[in-house]
Amino acid sequence: MSDNSSSSSEGRNRSGGHHRCNFCGKPASKVKRLFAGYEAFICNECVILCHDILDSSPDETVPEEILEVPKPSQIKAYLDQYVIGQETAKKNVSVAVYNHYKRINEMTKGRRKGAKGDSEIIELEKSNILLMGPTGTGKTLIARTLAKFLKVPFSIADATVLTEAGYVGEDVENILVRLYQAADYNQARTERGIVYIDEIDKIARTEGNPSITRDVSGEGVQQGLLKILEGTVSNIPPKGGRKHPEQAFVPIDTTNILFICGGAFEGLEKIVARRVGKKQVGFDAEIMNISDKSPDILEHTEPHDLLEFGLIPEMIGRLPVTAPLRPLDRNALFAILTEPRNALVKQYQKLFEMEGIGLTFETEALWEVVRIAEKKRTGARALRSILEKSMLDLMFETPGKDNIDEIVITPEVINQSGEAKIIHRTKKKTA
C-alpha cells in the first residue's frame, strides 16, 4: 500500500523514479507531469497530443462534404434522358435538389469550424416541393430517375398506407425508416437525404372541411407529417413500427431532409377553374374564362385551392414550391415510346434480342398505340398495357423458335385485327 502511494506521488511530483509514460515511454524525470492510473501512467505531453487529435478528427455525426455538386442544368439533363416534357417540373426539382446539396455543404462546413455561435451565419432553409398532375404524367418517374442520379440517400414512400399512430397501417415515422435503410443505417447520411412521398392527395380531408369525427388516414396523417416536413428530431425504430417494439430507437433530425410530395389531385382543376372563372366587378375588369379541361389549368393553382381540396393550411405552408405537370399530348406519348433511354420500344426489342430475334415497329403501329392510349386517359401508363396486350401472343409463341430472324409489328397487331410480319431465316446451302 505504501509502495503504490509513494509511486503515485513520485509520478506526480516528477521525481526521478523508474516510472514511465505508458504511451511515449518517457521517464517521470523528463516530463512536466506524470498522471498515475490503475497500473498505468500518462504524461502531460501525451494528454495534449490526444486532445489535439480529438479536436482535429471529424465528428462522426457530421457527414462528409459533397465535393462534386451537380449543377441544376446537369440534373435536368439527366432527367431529360428519361422524362419527356414537363420542363417546369424538372427545373423546379433540379433547382431544389441543387440547393439541397449546397445546404448540406454549408451545414457541414459550419459544424466543422465550430461556428454555431456566429451571429453572421445565415441559416439556409429547405424548400419542399409539391408535384401536381394527372396520372401517368411522370411524377413518380422523376423521383425514381433522381434516385439513380443522386449521391445522397433517396427513398420513395406511399402516403396511402399511412395512418395515425395506434391504428392499423403504417406509422408516419416509417417514411424515415426507409430513408435510414437506404443510407445503410447511417444516421448522419440519413439526415441529408431526400424523400419522395407519392399519392399525397389521397390523405386530403373529405370536402375540405375540418373533420368532426376521427379521420385516421386523412387529416390525422397530415398532422403527423407536419413536424417531419418542417424539421424535428424523430425517434424511429430501425426495423419498422409495431412489429419489433423491443428495439432501440434512433433519433433522426429532419431539418435538412428534402421532401418531394406528388399527387394527381383529381378534381383540383375544377376548383381552380371555378375560382379563376368568377366574374370581376367593374367595366374594365379582366374576365378570364378557363376550362377545367385546359392542359395548363394547374398552373393557376393557389394555396386557397389546395385548402379547398382538403390539405390543411399548415401542410400547404410546408410545401412552398408547387410544380404542375401538364397532361401528355399525342407527340409526347409518341416520344415516350421511342426516345427515353428506357423507352418501351427499346425494352421489347431487348427482350426479343435475348431470344436472337430482331423486332421492328412500323411508325403507323406506334401511332396506333398513341391513338388507343388517348382514349384510356391514363397517360403514359396506358402505353405499356396496350403493348403488353398486343405482344402477348408473340411473346408466348416465339421463345425457342430458332428459324425466326425478325418480327415486324404492324398497326393490325396493335388493334388485334391482323398478325405480325415474320421474316424467317434462310437456310444456308451445304456444299
Side-chain angles (χ1 to χ4, degrees):
M1 184 72 182
S2 60
D3 291 339
N4 290 338
S5 172
S6 61
S7 65
S8 298
S9 62
E10 182 183 357
R12 293 189 182 94
N13 296 325
R14 295 179 294 138
S15 64
H18 63 278
H19 296 295
R20 294 175 177 271
C21 175
N22 292 86
F23 290 86
C24 65
K26 292 181 180 179
S29 60
K30 298 293 184 181
V31 295
K32 185 176 180 180
R33 191 166 188 178
L34 191 65
F35 297 93
Y38 180 72
E39 297 184 355
F41 299 88
I42 183 171
C43 68
N44 61 292
E45 295 176 2
C46 288
V47 170
I48 295 174
L49 179 63
C50 292
H51 181 269
D52 292 340
I53 292 174
L54 290 173
D55 257 3
S56 61
S57 63
D59 187 354
E60 291 183 358
T61 62
V62 181
E64 293 295 329
E65 183 179 350
I66 301 174
L67 300 178
E68 298 179 3
V69 178
K71 301 295 186 291
S73 58
Q74 295 174 327
I75 299 174
K76 183 180 178 298
Y78 188 83
L79 291 174
D80 288 338
Q81 299 179 36
Y82 296 89
V83 184
I84 298 298
Q86 314 302 354
E87 298 299 314
T88 302
K90 288 189 289 189
K91 284 182 179 178
N92 280 326
V93 171
S94 300
V95 170
V97 171
Y98 176 67
N99 288 338
H100 185 61
Y101 276 106
K102 291 196 298 184
R103 186 184 304 109
I104 291 171
N105 283 347
E106 187 66 20
M107 176 197 69
T108 304
K109 291 177 183 177
R111 293 182 65 177
R112 294 203 186 286
K113 292 179 180 178
K116 294 180 181 179
D118 194 343
S119 59
E120 296 183 359
I121 291 180
I122 299 176
E123 294 185 3
L124 301 175
E125 296 183 359
K126 61 181 177 181
S127 296
N128 298 320
I129 302 176
L130 177 62
L131 299 178
M132 304 180 299
T135 180
T137 52
K139 299 183 295 296
T140 309
L141 179 60
I142 290 176
R144 288 177 178 169
T145 307
L146 277 175
K148 300 178 185 177
F149 183 69
L150 297 182
K151 299 179 180 66
V152 295
F154 190 101
S155 69
I156 299 178
D158 194 343
T160 56
V161 299
L162 301 176
T163 60
E164 278 193 271
Y167 294 88
V168 176
E170 291 194 13
D171 295 331
V172 173
E173 288 77 13
N174 279 10
I175 292 175
L176 301 178
V177 172
R178 292 190 182 92
L179 185 65
Y180 184 63
Q181 294 168 348
D184 295 328
Y185 299 93
N186 185 302
Q187 179 182 351
R189 294 188 69 237
T190 303
E191 293 178 350
R192 68 180 188 178
I194 299 177
V195 176
Y196 176 74
I197 306 178
D198 202 6
E199 308 291 354
I200 196 71
D201 56 314
K202 302 304 186 295
I203 61 172
R205 59 192 180 193
T206 309
E207 300 294 333
N209 297 320
S211 58
I212 300 174
T213 57
R214 199 53 137 175
D215 183 10
V216 297
S217 60
E219 183 179 349
V221 177
Q222 293 188 55
Q223 298 285 357
L225 283 172
L226 290 181
K227 293 305 294 181
I228 291 180
L229 292 178
E230 182 181 22
T232 187
V233 177
S234 180
N235 293 317
I236 66 167
K239 298 179 182 179
R242 310 179 184 97
K243 296 181 180 179
H244 306 276
E246 74 286 350
Q247 61 189 318
F249 289 94
V250 178
I252 299 295
D253 188 354
T254 65
T255 304
N256 291 291
I257 297 178
L258 180 67
F259 289 89
I260 304 174
C261 301
F265 288 90
E266 188 70 28
L268 179 61
E269 62 277 359
K270 296 180 180 178
I271 296 175
V272 176
R274 186 166 61 245
R275 174 182 56 81
V276 175
K278 287 183 178 179
K279 294 183 179 180
Q280 305 295 323
V281 178
F283 293 103
D284 297 331
E286 181 181 357
I287 299 177
M288 188 175 181
N289 293 322
I290 186 169
S291 170
D292 59 349
K293 305 296 183 183
S294 174
D296 58 350
I297 181 65
L298 293 181
E299 295 179 5
H300 302 279
T301 303
E302 297 289 341
H304 179 74
D305 302 322
L306 295 173
L307 179 63
E308 186 176 347
F309 181 83
L311 295 186
I312 60 178
E314 300 90 338
M315 186 81 170
I316 299 171
R318 285 162 175 79
L319 298 169
V321 180
T322 57
L325 282 79
R326 298 169 62 92
L328 300 173
D329 56 17
R330 299 183 77 249
N331 294 329
L333 290 172
F334 186 86
I336 289 172
L337 287 171
T338 57
E339 293 183 10
R341 291 184 61 179
N342 61 339
L344 287 173
V345 168
K346 297 177 183 178
Q347 293 183 38
Y348 282 100
Q349 288 175 338
K350 181 64 177 179
L351 288 173
F352 279 83
E353 180 185 334
M354 294 166 69
E355 299 288 342
I357 300 173
L359 183 66
T360 303
F361 285 84
E362 293 183 352
T363 304
E364 293 78 8
L366 297 179
W367 281 114
E368 183 68 15
V369 175
V370 171
R371 185 186 65 80
I372 300 174
E374 283 185 309
K375 294 181 178 179
K376 292 182 177 291
R377 301 180 64 84
T378 55
R381 285 191 173 92
L383 299 175
R384 177 174 288 277
S385 63
I386 294 168
L387 286 175
E388 284 288 341
K389 185 177 181 180
S390 304
M391 304 287 293
L392 178 62
D393 291 339
L394 289 172
M395 290 189 293
F396 178 78
E397 296 170 357
T398 53
K401 293 185 177 181
D402 56 358
N403 63 334
I404 299 178
D405 185 57
E406 184 181 2
I407 298 175
V408 179
I409 304 301
T410 63
E412 290 74 23
V413 177
I414 303 301
N415 56 35
Q416 297 183 334
S417 63
E419 296 182 351
K421 298 178 182 177
I422 298 178
I423 300 174
H424 294 275
R425 289 191 175 93
T426 54
K427 295 182 179 180
K428 295 181 180 180
K429 295 182 179 180
T430 56

